Amino acid sequence: MSGSSNIIAMKKVVQQLRLEASINRVKVSQAAADLQQFCLQNAHQDPLLTGMSSSTNPFRPQKVCSFL
Amino acid sequence: MCDQTFMAITFGPCDNCSTTSPLMNIYIKNEPTNYCSFCVEMMACQGLLKGETLASLKNESESLKKKLEEERAKLHDVELHQVAEKIEVVSALSIKTRRVLKGHGNKVLCMDWCKDKRRLVSSSQDGKVIVWDGFTLNKEHAVPMPCTWVMACAYAPSGCAIACGGLDNKCSVYPLSLDKNENLAAKKKSVAMHTNYLSGCTFTNSDMQILTSSGDGTCALWDVESGQLLQSFHGHTADVLSLDLAPSETGNTFVSGGCDKKANVWDMRSGQNVQSFETHESDINCCRLYDLRADREVAVYQKDSIIFGVSSLDFSLSGRLLFGGYNDYTINIWDVLKGNRVSMLFGHENRVSTVKVSPDGTSVCSASWDNTLRVSRALGMPWLLVLYSLT
């Protein structure tokens, strides 16, 4: 039993590796440049990065109102 | 061929040759079948092409692994942080905790945001799943689960249902009703069935399908309405602890991370494992960034002073910030491009179990073993707030 299951397992591993070896890859410099461009393009729309003004922040601490 | 001894759970007619004998339960193309040991041996040898033996397959796998490493190394011409040297440093962040959600009786294990950006669902070791309104701190629904350690919960894209599961090995969907008095537990629908604990669940782009990951080493895609298994994903050799869908609406891939130290990328339609990344060493106390098109690790986020593991992480909306929840009770915020730590969030009194950024990117919520959740937000001009409180 162990002999045949080893063979089946090894076949799977070899098939998987063949698949992975055949994919198209891009250079890291290219990939890094694209990552950087995406981050910079979307940076102004990222509230955690740029902060938001207090008036539009629904989570701001509640101010107490008093009647004069 | 020597037939070795094995433990047989079934005895009966073989599905292939019909002789009555002890049977092995095996899976052929995801279908469970029972073959006698002789048929299993015959089938294994038929699968081999001419001249293939165990030894030749082993050799081929070794040479393929080497070739993969060479191909990946060829493309490693520069480091991500080198490319990012010319861009501006992230300006000082003023992210502070704005809300603390108290109410769980025990460790909060998982949370998820609703697409309306204000509601959250959280699940806890005490077996309760609570739906909160993040702005008012109102608990809108509380669902008792039949098991403790509810390790996964998710909000449906429509906001009309939640899914959760844990030690019960199932993922159940609860439709949320507007009627507060209605007993949600009665409307429970069991969707997923695994053979070990449920570690993660998420709805795909619609309310109709759920993707789950389990301690049994597999991930699976289910149809909510019928509870049918649409696709299963085999490949991890240990418990799968987390999963995440690709962000694009037309995307059909997801990534899963497991105790075998691998991160696998899967095609949802075919069930195929398309890419695999394995550079983590032992328990994870650093975060690694893998680029899918370059097919390799491009950045590592770690510091010598950080000795505790990361349990959960999420990106900010632009992808520039990486929030990591650590077992030393803090959240470290990393600059994704430059690789340095930008800031830290304190406040939790026990491990951080889950960190998630809200759908509109304005807040980050962290769930912790200290029984609370904290919602944190950035401020543009902190000194103006001080003025308000003085007047």
Side-chain angles (χ1 to χ4, degrees):
Chain A
M1 169 199 173
S2 61
S4 57
S5 65
N6 269 346
I7 291 178
I8 295 174
M10 281 309 291
K11 271 235 81 153
K12 275 204 191 118
V13 167
V14 168
Q15 263 168 358
Q16 181 63 29
L17 286 172
R18 276 187 198 144
L19 203 79
E20 287 183 21
S22 58
I23 64 176
N24 285 329
R25 289 182 190 82
V26 155
K27 279 205 172 150
V28 175
S29 51
Q30 173 69 35
D34 287 345
L35 277 175
Q36 190 176 301
Q37 193 187 26
F38 182 86
C39 288
L40 294 176
Q41 265 175 355
N42 293 312
H44 64 277
Q45 285 167 347
D46 187 349
L48 285 167
L49 191 60
T50 59
M52 350 174 12
S53 67
S54 177
S55 55
T56 49
N57 180 1
F59 281 102
R60 69 184 181 281
Q62 317 284 330
K63 294 191 279 286
V64 178
C65 304
S66 58
F67 290 102
L68 299 168
Chain B
M1 234 179 309
C2 165
D3 194 12
Q4 294 181 335
T5 335
F6 62 96
M7 176 109 130
I9 310 170
T10 2
F11 185 92
C14 165
D15 284 346
N16 196 26
C17 62
S18 310
T19 48
T20 315
S21 63
L23 300 176
M24 295 179 166
N25 314 107
I26 56 173
Y27 283 84
I28 299 181
K29 293 197 200 319
N30 291 333
E31 293 295 326
T33 40
N34 294 322
Y35 275 21
C36 68
S37 61
F38 185 67
C39 290
V40 171
E41 294 279 352
M42 289 300 292
M43 193 178 61
C45 291
Q46 273 155 18
L48 291 173
L49 300 167
K50 233 190 194 155
E52 272 184 4
T53 59
L54 187 59
S56 76
L57 282 177
K58 270 207 181 114
N59 285 337
E60 192 177 353
S61 90
E62 289 303 312
S63 70
L64 277 174
K65 275 189 194 152
K66 271 209 195 98
K67 184 178 173 210
L68 258 181
E69 273 179 39
E70 277 168 18
E71 289 291 316
R72 281 175 171 169
K74 266 188 221 167
L75 300 164
H76 190 195
D77 50 352
V78 74
E79 295 281 344
L80 176 60
H81 62 85
Q82 286 169 326
V83 171
E85 261 165 13
K86 299 173 207 132
I87 60 177
E88 273 174 37
V89 183
V90 170
S91 54
L93 298 176
S94 56
I95 300 180
K96 290 213 166 51
T97 301
R98 302 287 156 203
R99 290 286 189 278
V100 181
L101 301 167
K102 295 189 190 176
H104 276 295
N106 212 324
K107 309 177 174 68
V108 188
L109 301 173
C110 185
M111 59 81 47
D112 194 20
W113 285 93
C114 178
K115 288 241 163 29
D116 71 358
K117 311 151 213 163
R118 65 186 276 173
R119 287 186 176 76
L120 319 136
V121 62
S122 61
S123 66
S124 162
Q125 188 197 334
D126 65 358
K128 286 244 176 35
V129 175
I130 301 182
V131 177
W132 312 78
D133 179 331
F135 290 179
T136 61
L137 299 190
N138 223 4
K139 295 183 194 46
E140 299 199 343
H141 299 96
V143 183
M145 288 279 287
C147 65
T148 56
W149 287 90
V150 188
M151 291 180 254
C153 61
Y155 224 119
S158 66
C160 297
I162 52 167
C164 49
L167 283 186
D168 57 353
N169 300 357
K170 291 192 272 199
C171 183
S172 316
V173 175
Y174 293 85
L176 296 175
S177 74
L178 293 168
D179 182 0
K180 297 290 160 78
N181 295 328
E182 202 168 347
N183 183 10
L184 281 185
K187 291 209 159 167
K188 162 176 150 166
K189 197 187 182 99
S190 284
V191 173
M193 293 280 295
H194 278 280
T195 52
N196 210 329
Y197 63 90
L198 192 85
S199 54
C201 68
T202 178
F203 283 86
T204 58
N205 290 327
S206 75
D207 278 17
M208 293 290 96
Q209 291 181 350
I210 286 193
L211 195 56
T212 58
S213 65
S214 165
D216 64 11
T218 67
C219 302
L221 182 66
W222 310 82
D223 177 81
V224 173
E225 198 53 51
S226 61
Q228 204 191 8
L229 172 67
L230 298 171
Q231 183 65 260
S232 68
F233 306 92
H234 298 263
H236 277 288
T237 49
D239 302 17
V240 184
L241 291 184
S242 60
L243 52 75
D244 194 22
L245 285 166
S248 111
E249 306 231 323
T250 53
N252 285 303
T253 57
F254 73 96
V255 63
S256 65
C259 291
D260 53 359
K261 299 182 242 162
K262 282 200 186 144
N264 288 340
V265 181
W266 308 87
D267 179 327
M268 282 205 284
R269 285 171 300 189
S270 65
Q272 180 73 42
N273 175 5
V274 292
Q275 274 176 293
S276 181
F277 301 100
E278 191 180 7
T279 57
H280 274 293
E281 304 139 4
S282 80
D283 276 356
I284 301 186
N285 63 349
C286 64
C287 306
R288 292 176 196 264
L289 184 69
Y290 298 97
D291 187 294
L292 294 182
R293 291 168 314 145
D295 191 36
R296 60 169 295 118
E297 174 189 294
V298 291
V300 185
Y301 308 100
Q302 66 187 354
K303 255 176 126 66
D304 287 340
S305 55
I306 299 178
I307 53 172
F308 284 87
V310 197
S311 57
S312 166
L313 46 77
D314 203 4
F315 285 100
S316 71
L317 208 61
S318 68
R320 184 70 194 271
L321 297 175
L322 178 66
F323 295 87
Y326 287 72
N327 292 344
D328 61 2
Y329 316 171
T330 66
I331 297 172
N332 287 310
I333 307 176
W334 302 88
D335 179 333
V336 169
L337 298 177
K338 287 188 183 283
N340 59 307
R341 180 172 63 186
V342 176
S343 182
M344 288 176 79
L345 285 176
F346 297 95
H348 278 297
E349 290 158 18
N350 206 323
R351 285 193 193 191
V352 180
S353 56
T354 306
V355 173
K356 280 225 177 100
V357 172
S358 66
D360 58 355
T362 56
S363 348
V364 56
C365 180
S366 52
S368 162
W369 282 16
D370 66 0
N371 306 1
T372 67
L373 295 106
R374 282 169 177 261
V375 181
S376 307
R377 218 158 159 130
L379 268 203
M381 289 171 280
W383 57 89
L384 268 184
L385 258 194
V386 173
L387 271 181
Y388 288 149
S389 67
L390 286 177
T391 52

